[in-house]
Each structure stands twice: as structure tokens, then as C-alpha cells.
Amino acid sequence: MNTTGGRQLAAALKAHGIEQVYGIPGTHNLEIFAGLHSEGIRVITPRHEQGGGYAADGSARVSGKPSVLITTTGPAALNAAAAMLQAHSDSVPVLLISPGVPVRHPGLGNGLLHEVRSQSGVFDSIVESSVRVTSPGEIPQAVAYAFATMTTGRNKPVYLEIPLDVIEEDGPHTPVQPVSADVRLPLDEAALDSAAASLEAAKKPLLIAGGGSRGAGRATAQLAEALGAPIVETTAGMGVLESPNRIGAVGGLAAFHTLLGEADALIAVGTELAPSEFWDPGMRLPATVVRIDIDQRAMITNAAPSHQLLARAEDAVAGLVDRLTGQRAEGELWSQPLAQEIEAERSEWHKPFKALTEALNIHRQAIDGSLTLVGDSSMSCYYGLQLGVRLREGDRYLYPAGGGTLGYSLPAGIGAKFGRPSDEVIAVAGDGGAMFTIQELMAAVEHRLAVSFIIIDNGGYGEIAREMLERGDAPTAVALGRPDFVALANALGMQAQKVTDASQLAAGLAEAREAQAPRLFVMDEHSPTAEYLVNNPQFGKSKPSARPVHME
């Protein structure tokens, strides 16, 4: 049977279990949207393609399944590039689909609408795989290839380009069945024996639980407790496990590197050991490194492990636990002498955000189900949420660790609610990052999504201002005008309120949960940096003119 490229695409997505996509229709992709409608695939419309990419990212992270973003040509696809970079750096399976220039388009260009001579070339440097098809019949195979790529080894994003003439063109349709993603790597028994023996011989083992340890939380906690190993989480590893050995997501603290320097063995479970996660481009690892990962390339990234366990975390960790000869005597962890140093540093950085995290912890205790907490690349998140919020096993913390993008949390929170509707979802952003994607709140309003959004306002780009001051520089271009976020949310049709302390925020979160409707909360940050940005007459907010200025 012959059918258009756009409808072949929609059928292939449906065959791969896609029931909804994020996307904005445009002149060049209308046949794709016609196909989505025919297949009964729901379209969630963002207000900007970058926001759509972050929403797809959030949905994929919480569901554990690939998510799809569809844009039109040129600037629309390029708007999504930052989101695809973020998905790649954090191992998130997002498929971006866009039209491209026609198959016989002049190589030097001719001024076609949205013309980019090589869109696929742009994305080839950003995502795992960038594929451009040249006929309708290739599309089912290309979609199957994309899904296989996204779910083989560590998850990763893919870009699929369909020339705009191929989208409309009829061609033979031969469906390609999805490839099973449930592939278990065989356990290397000798490698497990050797790793277990080295760990039992260690006197100061340390365990790092990354996002790849999800699904193996209880076994990972059991392994650490059997070895007497303190547990440090990555941001993606927050909510993976609960254990008395858990220290938390303290990778950005100087005290963590003191801890790592004293360890004589490291168990790295599903973590890239990336500098962006541990704020150190040259981590000093012990001689014994037992690394558990599902991806061969990740196995040798940022480390030369003494013991390589290429397997799913749940299989490898269980194999190690089975081989340990006995439980170590209960008592203080070997890291206990450093506990006071870690806590003092944690408290110092976390101080300006104590009201925020206290309210979130109160709210966490009041709810029975799972919590998905979404952070942005802001001080309130990497100093606040990560150092002060206590998540339970099964909770999620979504954070743009690798790309470090601003504007992630608001749309990612929306995507997370679509991806796991039963979760309580709370998204936190700074005032600077919020303005990157504030328009995406309309999707929460339109779909009446029960997501609570929190904006912590420090009057500008606080971390950059702090770094400038630390260098002895005059803070430049970091103080921002302070919009009335409450009025802005109201204008979008969302309830909003200013809160000043933990009790007000906790009460508001409880009301929003009861109403099952989106709500925005705004809280001022109280820190020396915030005071500088808000009050400094040279760099702070200037007073408006008493007389309006009329432009002719």
C-alpha cells in the first residue's frame, strides 16, 4: 500500500507505542500532523520549541520511555537544539523529528523558507545519531532505528529529518516492527568474584549512586550497608534509595573531595563521574574502582576502572551482594569524622534556601505517593534542593546537570506530569531561568495540570554575580528587572501567590494539591548576593520614570 511520508511516520510512531507527542505545526510539517490525527496520537503544544524539548525530556525521564518532539524546518528545529543537548548530556531518550530542505534542493541554497543547508549536520554534533531519509519507504526503518539507538546501552537522543517533499510524497509502506529493548547483558562471574574480593578487602569503601542505579535502589543500599560504605548520590540518583549510609547529593562540596581522597575503594553505580556533577575536572579516584554500567563507552569515561561490570545495575549489584561473605559490624561509618565538615559546608551553602527546603520536606511528609521534583540550573536548586530536600525511594529529581541549561524546570515539570500523572510534581526555578520559558505555563493552564511551580527571586543571575564578586570584578549584566510574577501568572489564567516563609509555602502547596490545579508561588531569596543585586544602585533595579515616555 502506498501512503505519504507524513502518514508513514505517524504509523511508525504508533507502532512504537507513542500515544502523545510534543510539537508545533508549521507550513512544512502539516502532513505529519494530519497523520498524527489519523492515528489518534495526542499533540501537546508548547509555546516554544525549546520548551517543548524540555517537556519531552521531563516526560522521558519519569516514564523511562522515549518521548517525541516534532518541529517544523529551520529556526523551529534550531530552537530545540539546546533541549537536545541537555537530553544528550543527561542520557535522556528524546526523538526530535523535523522536516528538512527537499531532496533535490540546490546545494548552495536558493532562499527557501526556513532554509538551512544542513540541519542534520547541526544535530550530528549534538545528539547520538542524526538521520536524514530520502524517500517515504525509508521512514518506518528510520523510526525503528531511532528507537533502537535511544534504548541501547545508556539512553540517548536522536534526530530524524524528513525532507519536506518526502513528507508529502506517496511511497510504498512496509512496516518495521520495534526491536525489544529488554536486553540483559550476561554477568561476568569471574569479574564479579574479583570485584567482591577487592571490596571486602577495602577498609574505606565509598559508593556513588547515579541515575543508572534506578531500579536497583534497595540492592544498592544493601551493598553499601554490607560494606560499611557511605553513599553519595548524583543529582539523577536522588530518590533512588533510602539508607542510613546515605550522605546525599554533596558532589559539589569541597568536603566530598576530601571524602573521596580518603576512600580506598569506589563503587560507581550508573554514573558518568562527570565534572559537571562533582564540580571538579580532575577527580582523584582510588586505585580500586568497581564500575557498574550498561554502556561500554561510559564504562571507560572519566575513569579507568580496576573492575568493569558491564551489566544492568540490578543484576550486577545483586551479584556483588550475593558474593559478600558477611555483614560488617554495625557502628559508625568510616566517614563519620568528616560528617561535621560535610554538614557545616552543606549548611553554609544551603542557608538562603532553608525556608524553601523546609516547606518541601513538610509537604513530602504529608503526601503518600511519589514526588517528582524538578530543578533548574539555579542556586535555589544546586544549593537548595540538592542539599536540603529529603526524598524517599521511588521519588524523582529532574535536573539539567550536564548541559546546565536555564529554563528547564517549568516545561520539564509539565512534561513530567504528562509522563507520570499519578506523581505529585513540583518545579523550582530562579527568576532568571524562569523568564527563559515562562510562557510554557500556558500548557499547564490549558490542560489543568496539577503542577506547583516555585520561583525563587534574587533579582538576577545570582550565581554569576557571586562569581564575579569572588573574582574581584564589578558585577556586570547580572541584575535583572523584577517582573510581577504573580500578576503574570494571573494573566495566563493561573492562581499565584507571594510567600515569605516555610509555613506559608507548605500551606499553599497543600491547597494546590487539594485543588488539583496548577499554581505558582514566588519567594524572595535572602542572601548577600540577592541583597546586592536588588539594592545596589549601580547594578540593581532602577526606579521607573515619574512621567511616561511616548514613542512616535
Side-chain angles (χ1 to χ4, degrees):
M1 180 182 73
N2 280 18
T3 187
T4 65
R7 292 176 190 267
Q8 292 204 37
L9 172 66
L13 293 176
K14 188 76 171 181
H16 282 79
I18 297 300
E19 297 178 351
Q20 71 175 30
V21 301
Y22 299 87
I24 299 177
T27 298
H28 291 160
N29 65 13
L30 296 180
E31 182 65 10
I32 292 177
F33 280 80
L36 296 173
H37 179 77
S38 295
E39 293 291 343
I41 297 175
R42 183 187 189 189
V43 180
I44 308 300
T45 308
R47 292 303 188 269
H48 188 279
E49 290 85 3
Q50 187 176 98
Y54 295 146
D57 176 301
S59 181
R61 291 198 200 208
V62 298
S63 69
K65 300 175 182 177
S67 193
V68 177
L69 170 66
I70 298 175
T71 74
T72 193
T73 342
L78 298 179
N79 281 344
M84 296 303 288
L85 172 66
Q86 187 59 63
H88 188 269
S89 67
D90 284 356
S91 305
V92 184
V94 176
L95 173 60
L96 170 60
I97 302 171
S98 170
V101 295
V103 173
R104 293 191 176 277
H105 188 69
L108 295 177
N110 63 357
L112 181 71
L113 178 68
H114 303 329
E115 180 181 85
V116 178
R117 288 194 300 274
S118 180
Q119 272 181 205
S120 58
V122 171
F123 286 98
D124 191 51
S125 64
I126 294 174
V127 300
E128 180 68 20
S129 177
S130 174
V131 178
R132 175 177 159 94
V133 300
T134 56
S135 66
E138 295 176 59
I139 292 173
Q141 182 180 15
V143 170
Y145 174 85
F147 275 79
T149 301
M150 287 189 288
T151 56
T152 298
R154 78 174 180 93
N155 291 333
K156 52 193 82 75
V158 171
Y159 171 67
L160 172 60
E161 182 175 313
I162 308 175
L164 60 94
D165 51 345
V166 173
I167 290 173
E168 300 284 345
E169 180 185 339
D170 278 342
H173 181 211
T174 304
V176 177
Q177 294 301 310
V179 177
S180 173
D182 186 19
V183 179
R184 294 197 177 193
L185 295 169
L187 288 169
D188 185 330
E189 302 293 334
L192 280 169
D193 290 341
S194 175
S198 292
L199 292 177
E200 285 204 309
K203 292 181 171 55
K204 294 183 176 182
L206 172 67
L207 190 147
I208 297 178
S213 64
R214 192 163 299 278
R218 293 184 183 179
T220 302
Q222 186 180 357
L223 174 63
E225 289 161 17
L227 291 170
I231 302 169
V232 171
E233 301 160 316
T234 69
T235 51
M238 290 175 63
V240 165
L241 54 81
E242 291 181 84
S243 170
N245 292 38
R246 175 185 172 274
I247 294 176
V250 297
L253 301 182
F256 162 74
H257 295 282
T258 302
L259 180 72
L260 180 63
E262 291 197 13
D264 61 359
L266 174 66
I267 310 106
V269 186
T271 170
E272 292 179 288
L273 298 173
S276 60
E277 188 75 61
F278 297 99
W279 296 23
D280 186 347
M283 288 177 65
R284 294 160 293 282
L285 304 180
T288 298
V289 176
V290 176
R291 194 165 197 181
I292 299 171
D293 210 288
I294 200 170
D295 189 280
Q296 289 173 298
R297 291 173 298 182
M299 181 66 72
I300 52 174
T301 298
N302 296 319
S306 57
H307 300 79
Q308 300 179 13
L309 300 179
L310 186 67
R312 298 192 318 170
E314 48 266 52
D315 298 331
V317 172
L320 287 175
V321 171
D322 288 344
R323 283 164 172 76
L324 298 179
T325 57
Q327 182 89 15
R328 294 198 182 185
E330 291 188 10
E332 289 188 349
L333 293 173
W334 66 264
S335 58
Q336 188 60 33
L338 292 171
Q340 188 173 352
E341 180 182 344
I342 293 171
E343 191 53 39
E345 190 180 359
R346 188 206 309 258
S347 297
E348 181 62 27
W349 287 108
H350 171 248
K351 191 185 303 179
F353 313 102
K354 195 169 182 180
L356 168 67
T357 59
E358 182 181 339
L360 291 171
N361 286 328
I362 290 170
H363 190 65
R364 181 66 196 90
Q365 292 300 315
I367 62 177
D368 295 326
S370 297
L371 169 66
T372 290
L373 185 61
V374 188
D376 210 271
S377 187
S378 75
M379 301 174 83
S380 57
C381 298
Y382 45 77
Y383 297 141
L385 304 186
Q386 288 160 213
L387 296 178
V389 173
R390 295 185 294 274
L391 297 181
R392 294 177 182 169
E393 183 178 336
D395 290 344
R396 298 298 301 262
Y397 177 54
L398 313 188
Y399 175 72
T405 183
L406 286 172
Y408 174 81
S409 65
L410 304 187
I414 290 167
K417 192 63 178 178
F418 279 119
R420 211 155 70 160
S422 61
D423 271 20
E424 175 94 356
V425 177
I426 300 173
V428 180
D431 57 306
M435 290 301 292
F436 278 53
T437 51
I438 195 76
Q439 69 275 7
E440 302 306 339
L441 294 182
M442 276 303 301
V445 172
E446 289 172 345
H447 296 280
R448 196 172 168 78
L449 296 178
V451 180
S452 292
F453 303 94
I454 304 172
I455 294 176
I456 305 300
D457 188 352
N458 63 9
Y461 299 127
E463 175 65 9
I464 307 306
R466 188 192 67 78
E467 291 179 14
M468 287 177 171
L469 288 166
E470 192 175 69
R471 284 165 49 94
D473 297 342
T476 303
V478 288
L480 303 175
R482 306 181 74 192
D484 186 339
F485 286 109
V486 171
L488 179 54
N490 290 162
L492 296 175
M494 180 183 294
Q495 280 194 297
Q497 67 186 94
K498 187 80 176 280
V499 293
T500 59
D501 56 34
S503 61
Q504 278 190 337
L505 178 55
L509 290 170
E511 290 173 8
R513 176 176 172 78
E514 183 67 25
Q516 284 296 289
R519 188 174 296 190
L520 175 69
F521 302 92
V522 182
M523 176 181 278
D524 287 341
E525 178 186 316
H526 298 288
S527 69
T529 304
E531 290 176 10
Y532 183 93
L533 288 171
V534 172
N535 298 321
N536 188 286
Q538 185 177 357
F539 303 104
K541 178 182 176 183
S542 60
K543 294 182 179 180
S545 172
R547 296 177 57 189
V549 177
H550 298 284
M551 302 296 292
E552 296 296 334

